[in-house]
Amino acid sequence: MKMSLMRFPALFAAVLCALPVAAGTAPDEKMDEFIDDLMSKMTIEEKVGQITLVTYDKSFMTGATQSKGVEKKIAEGKIGGVFNVRTLEDKINIQKLAVEQTRLGIPLMFGLDVIHGYRTIWPVPLALSCSWDMDLIERTARAAADEATSEGIDWTYSPMVDLVRDPRWGRVAESSGEDPWLGSRIAEAMVRGYQGESLDDPQSMMACVKHFALYGAGEGGRDYDMVDMSLNRMYQEYLPPYKAAVDAGAGSIMSSFNDINGVPATANKWLLTDLLRGEWGFDGFTVSDYTSVGELTEHGLGNLAEVSSRALKAGLDMDMVSEGVMKNLDYCLENGLLTEADIDVACRRILEAKYKLGLFEDPYLRLGAEPVDRAKYRSLALEAARKSIVLLKNDHDVLPLKKDTKVALVGPLADTKWELMGTWAGAAAMADEGVSIKSGISRYTSSMIHTSGAPITDNPGLARMIGVNIERSGDPDSLIAEAVSAAEKSDVVVAVLGENAKMSGESSSMTWIGLQPTQRRLLEALVATGKDVVLVLLNGRPMTLEWEDAHCAAIVDAWAPGLQGGNAVADVLFGEYNPSGRLSMTFPRNVGQVPIYYSMKSTGRPHIPFRKYRTGYIDCPQDPLYPFGYGLSYSTVDYSDMTASYDAGDKTVKASVKVTNVSDRAVTETVQLYVRDVVASVTRPMKELKGFRQVELGPGESRTVSFDVPVSELGFWTPDLQYVVETGKFVVEIGPDSQRTLSSEIEYTDVVSCQAVPFK
Ligand code: BGC
């Protein structure tokens, strides 16, 4: 049910007189006329109010400080948007303040980090990206929008499209991994899902692409750290996902905390104006990250008045939490730091967003809906969790387990619902409705002995940061003895180990990305029993698992699988679901290999074969433990009969491969296509993903999978930032992951002009 304006007569009058729309005017013109009229009535303070975004002081925090006195400021017309308001009732009340008590009745816009689901929690984004299923990803975003808008959310701080090649960074869990092409497809799918057909649909919310830009490339994997990167690399690798989200119509974009080549993103005019608006044609609005305007003072750029003005002039429209201009307006104007015209530009963009969201027509558009019946999304949560799980190892077909196998279920994460939710679920997860792995497995076997086996960590500093009470975890030796005894009485050990929810996410960077020593000791004791050990990993990042790979019979990477995680893991373990996930990020052998990713360049001294005077390490193999694109299933799929050719007519590379399921189990196969530019005027990556197809193959079934790759997609950015496609030889590779591929060489000779589609 939509709440009627007639229930708020004062507001109805205010809104009605604010909609002077001439019949027959085009939508943009209508909007412009409406906003011109509104702005002509606004004081400069009211305009600054529109560019001011605050948290709600009666709710939860997702940053280091909380806004104060919010209701009073709203009633004074000094606030444009509010985020982190927990209840619908609070949202309705403060919206009333804005529309009934302020002079012009301009509605507020409500934001929230709806990152991987709202009430129904899907796997963390890194996990979901391993599904390689764009339709699924779009459906999860759409469902999240349905739930969130039914509780008054207009605007989500998602998708996070930061490319990441350093698993030490805690926020890798929120990313789509290491690849620009896959990341771009996911960015588009999420924007489509959130924003739906039209932003003024009550079930649509505005996407906010973040964190612009290069936030995932911080030095040393440390959060918020600086980035120093060539423009060429940015254009080629790091910027495409943001551009894809912008092209998909994202309404807003959030600046990142980091410094880019000496200028923090929040005040970076080249980034926020020249590139974003000038080159890309973005016409939405920009918002800072949490207090990142104020933090420009810590970057050493001046006092709050100076940095806020600089950010605004650079193209930053909305200030999240710092209230920088609001607190210093007179000073900024008197000292010539800002003019009213500067403020007008930003204010107009916020008003346009509210207009597009339908808020001027009905400020209660998303505040009066019927609650969503969450049960309808349970099966989507299960589908998402199943499809995100990646089977990393499966020796002598230890998996799938037979029904009623005697299982020793061991590990500190085996009987938790909460830790399965991962980062960014705190705001909204209904963890009580979740399913633990123990409860999932109990659907398949009644002979299960469960024991925790070990604390997550015994590092006191880490334990404090991740909310683990070491004292309460029990005596480590007794816990291991108990686990070993359970293993000895069972047919197989299922060890649920890895990271709890707080070990990844914001400001959770780690220098050690292997299992915590307490957990490794447990695993060693379990392996020593001689029983097959199936390691089920919960994690928000790629981990280093060389020992585990060498000693466990099977490894199932479940990530943080969300609300239905326990059922999904059990379905995979017992073969109800044939695992289909593929890594969207390389797993290094050890942290010293970081950064390691499949699309590295060869150097003049390639490491294959590795010997003296070649690039690489002398104490470790050069390849990763698990490459990008990798993942097993319970079926075997053969690849054969690959073809590739260049079609000069429609300027595409045409390639195909025959895939045959040589097992008796149906499977979803993700067929991946990579291209290497063999000779070019600049150095090029060893290979780049340029396409993939997911096909269902019944037992024994064969299919020919075809790809059409426009040659315009095989171009690159030159050092002076021209996008070119050079003629010559290319190697096309097709396979189940980035390493095991069939290949074929093609050559094209006609010159193709590609300026029109540089970011595809
Ligand atoms: C995070 C953003 C988030 C914002 C609002 C910041 O700390 O970096 O990703 O959207 O808080 O909660």
Side-chain angles (χ1 to χ4, degrees):
M1 179 202 67
K2 250 170 77 170
M3 183 177 284
S4 160
L5 279 179
M6 292 312 289
R7 287 175 56 189
F8 300 93
L11 166 70
F12 184 57
V15 169
L16 210 61
C17 65
L19 284 173
V21 168
T25 324
D28 273 6
E29 281 173 38
K30 276 191 203 167
M31 179 174 79
D32 291 347
E33 278 175 30
F34 169 73
I35 292 174
D36 287 346
D37 183 62
L38 182 57
M39 283 182 67
S40 70
K41 298 180 188 136
M42 290 171 82
T43 64
I44 189 163
E45 285 79 14
E46 285 165 342
K47 291 174 185 171
V48 175
Q50 287 307 303
I51 65 173
T52 301
L53 172 67
V54 294
T55 61
Y56 187 45
D57 37 3
K58 291 191 198 147
S59 199
F60 53 88
M61 283 165 75
T62 54
T65 53
Q66 182 80 297
S67 307
K68 303 271 172 353
V70 170
E71 289 179 5
K72 183 164 174 287
K73 289 177 189 164
I74 292 174
E76 290 167 359
K78 290 186 174 163
I79 303 292
V82 189
F83 68 110
N84 289 356
V85 187
R86 196 185 293 274
T87 69
L88 181 61
E89 199 188 350
D90 281 342
K91 286 183 207 108
I92 292 174
N93 288 338
I94 61 178
Q95 187 69 306
K96 269 195 194 174
L97 289 179
V99 296
E100 292 179 20
Q101 302 214 358
T102 64
R103 225 169 52 87
L104 295 165
I106 301 175
L108 296 165
M109 182 166 63
F110 291 105
L112 191 78
D113 293 277
V114 181
I115 306 290
H116 52 113
Y118 178 63
R119 294 281 182 202
T120 306
I121 296 297
W122 329 117
V124 287
L126 183 62
L128 214 42
S129 70
C130 291
S131 71
W132 295 53
D133 185 334
M134 299 309 118
D135 173 63
L136 168 72
I137 290 172
E138 184 171 338
R139 283 185 286 127
T140 58
R142 191 79 213 115
D146 183 27
E147 286 190 350
T149 54
S150 80
E151 294 189 39
I153 307 301
D154 304 301
W155 181 34
T156 176
Y157 306 139
S158 176
M160 176 177 123
V161 304
D162 307 316
L163 195 86
V164 194
R165 288 167 175 177
D166 192 332
R168 291 173 296 180
W169 192 44
R171 302 197 77 169
V172 64
E174 298 170 53
S175 83
S176 295
E178 74 184 42
D179 186 61
W181 201 87
L182 182 62
S184 298
R185 302 295 80 76
I186 292 174
E188 293 159 355
M190 291 183 77
V191 170
R192 280 196 305 267
Y194 289 140
Q195 298 196 163
E197 293 285 304
S198 168
L199 273 177
D200 63 2
D201 180 330
Q203 270 100 38
S204 290
M205 57 186 177
M206 184 175 278
C208 183
V209 181
K210 69 187 191 188
H211 306 81
F212 194 55
L214 320 181
Y215 184 36
E219 269 191 2
R222 287 179 298 270
D223 213 346
Y224 320 120
D225 213 328
M226 61 170 272
V227 176
D228 196 322
M229 187 186 284
S230 73
L231 283 172
N232 186 267
R233 183 167 217 185
M234 286 184 206
Y235 274 64
Q236 192 65 38
E237 301 169 33
Y238 282 78
L239 294 177
Y242 305 104
K243 174 68 163 57
V246 165
D247 286 348
S252 66
I253 194 158
M254 184 186 293
S255 69
S256 54
F257 287 115
N258 52 286
D259 173 350
I260 300 174
N261 297 352
V263 183
T266 304
N268 196 315
K269 178 171 172 301
W270 167 76
L271 185 76
L272 299 178
T273 299
D274 303 347
L275 177 72
L276 183 62
R277 299 195 185 272
E279 287 185 36
W280 294 0
F282 176 68
D283 69 352
F285 75 96
T286 59
V287 60
S288 78
D289 203 343
Y290 208 113
T291 55
S292 74
V293 171
E295 287 161 23
L296 294 169
T297 61
E298 291 287 342
H299 280 278
L301 297 191
N303 64 31
L304 185 59
E306 288 160 348
V307 296
S308 312
S309 308
R310 179 165 169 184
L312 187 72
K313 276 186 172 294
L316 186 86
D317 301 317
M318 199 171 209
D319 171 339
M320 186 190 283
V321 181
S322 303
E323 298 177 49
V325 177
M326 182 55 87
K327 287 177 185 157
N328 297 283
L329 181 59
D330 291 345
Y331 179 93
C332 292
L333 295 172
E334 280 158 21
N335 289 281
L337 297 174
L338 282 180
T339 62
E340 183 159 2
D342 295 323
I343 294 163
D344 281 353
V345 172
C347 171
R348 175 176 291 276
R349 292 184 185 136
I350 308 304
L351 295 175
E352 284 175 357
K354 292 182 179 181
Y355 185 99
K356 290 176 193 162
L357 280 163
L359 291 174
F360 285 110
E361 208 166 320
D362 181 359
Y364 299 89
L365 186 66
R366 298 176 186 84
L367 291 171
E370 296 292 344
V372 168
D373 172 16
R374 287 195 297 279
K376 76 174 174 187
Y377 290 129
R378 230 168 261 158
S379 60
L380 182 56
L382 179 64
E383 179 189 351
R386 283 169 156 190
K387 288 182 168 173
S388 301
I389 291 172
V390 185
L391 180 64
L392 296 174
K393 179 178 180 191
N394 190 20
D395 259 8
H396 56 266
D397 293 335
V398 60
L399 294 178
L401 302 173
K402 290 197 180 59
K403 236 176 163 238
D404 287 322
T405 302
K406 261 194 181 167
V407 172
L409 178 67
V410 182
L413 297 166
D415 190 18
T416 164
K417 297 172 183 177
W418 181 250
E419 304 298 353
L420 271 56
M421 304 295 160
T423 184
W424 282 117
M430 305 300 281
D432 290 349
E433 293 172 20
V435 181
S436 71
I437 291 176
K438 180 179 168 209
S439 124
I441 291 181
S442 67
R443 287 172 29 241
Y444 290 97
T445 179
S446 46
S447 12
M448 169 168 54
I449 314 174
H450 166 242
T451 152
S452 86
I456 290 181
T457 182
D458 63 357
N459 171 338
L462 176 64
R464 246 193 329 276
M465 295 299 294
I466 63 170
V468 167
N469 183 327
I470 299 180
E471 275 78 52
R472 258 198 257 142
S473 303
D475 167 54
D477 291 334
S478 327
L479 289 175
I480 289 185
E482 208 183 327
V484 165
S485 142
E488 280 161 353
K489 290 182 208 130
S490 307
D491 302 328
V492 67
V493 179
V494 174
V496 186
L497 303 175
E499 300 187 318
N500 80 354
K502 289 194 173 153
M503 286 166 92
S504 58
E506 188 167 347
S507 72
S508 288
S509 295
M510 307 252 281
T511 59
W512 172 257
I513 56 170
L515 283 182
Q516 287 295 303
T518 46
Q519 299 188 45
R520 167 68 84 76
R521 214 155 71 81
L522 166 66
L523 201 57
E524 284 171 9
L526 294 170
V527 166
T529 62
K531 293 290 162 84
D532 276 334
V533 176
V534 175
L535 170 60
V536 173
L537 206 62
L538 295 187
N539 50 333
R541 55 160 57 78
M543 295 182 74
T544 50
L545 301 168
E546 257 199 321
W547 187 91
E548 292 74 7
D549 183 72
H551 295 91
C552 296
I555 305 182
V556 175
D557 195 348
W559 308 104
L563 205 74
Q564 282 291 314
N567 281 334
V569 167
D571 291 347
V572 166
L573 292 176
F574 287 86
E576 175 70 22
Y577 183 77
N578 192 359
S580 56
R582 298 292 171 85
L583 296 179
S584 61
M585 196 163 167
T586 303
F587 274 47
R589 292 176 180 276
N590 58 52
V591 78
Q593 280 189 319
V594 170
I596 182 169
Y597 48 95
Y598 84 93
S599 58
M600 293 166 87
K601 293 187 174 178
S602 74
T603 79
R605 295 183 173 192
H607 66 65
I608 305 167
F610 185 70
R611 55 174 190 262
K612 193 70 184 161
Y613 306 118
R614 293 263 169 176
T615 186
Y617 302 102
I618 59 172
D619 62 345
C620 163
Q622 309 313 313
D623 59 342
L625 184 62
Y626 306 122
F628 176 81
Y630 171 80
L632 305 173
S633 69
Y634 299 143
S635 309
T636 306
V637 177
D638 273 356
Y639 283 64
S640 65
D641 304 346
M642 180 187 162
T643 65
S645 60
Y646 171 58
D647 183 332
D650 55 4
K651 299 194 186 326
T652 55
V653 173
K654 302 213 179 292
S656 68
V657 75
K658 185 170 158 194
V659 283
T660 307
N661 179 1
V662 293
S663 68
D664 55 7
R665 213 174 241 278
V667 67
T668 304
E669 181 69 6
T670 302
V671 184
Q672 301 161 36
L673 178 141
Y674 298 85
V675 177
R676 175 173 186 175
D677 187 349
V678 184
V679 179
S681 58
V682 299
T683 56
R684 302 284 292 121
M686 286 191 274
K687 59 182 81 171
E688 292 173 297
L689 182 74
K690 291 293 172 189
F692 64 88
R693 299 259 183 283
Q694 282 192 324
V695 285
E696 310 288 328
L697 294 171
E701 188 181 345
S702 273
R703 281 175 69 170
T704 297
V705 178
S706 306
F707 296 86
D708 279 354
V709 182
V711 284
S712 57
E713 297 205 10
L714 305 187
F716 57 84
W717 292 89
T718 60
D720 58 349
L721 297 184
Q722 299 299 308
Y723 186 79
V724 298
V725 181
E726 291 182 346
T727 56
K729 288 197 169 87
F730 288 78
V731 172
V732 180
E733 299 183 28
I734 304 183
D737 60 52
S738 59
Q739 301 307 319
R740 293 174 297 155
T741 55
L742 302 173
S743 66
S744 173
E745 197 172 85
I746 58 152
E747 182 161 5
Y748 70 91
T749 48
D750 48 338
V751 180
V752 186
S753 166
C754 287
Q755 288 298 342
V757 283
F759 267 93
K760 283 286 167 184

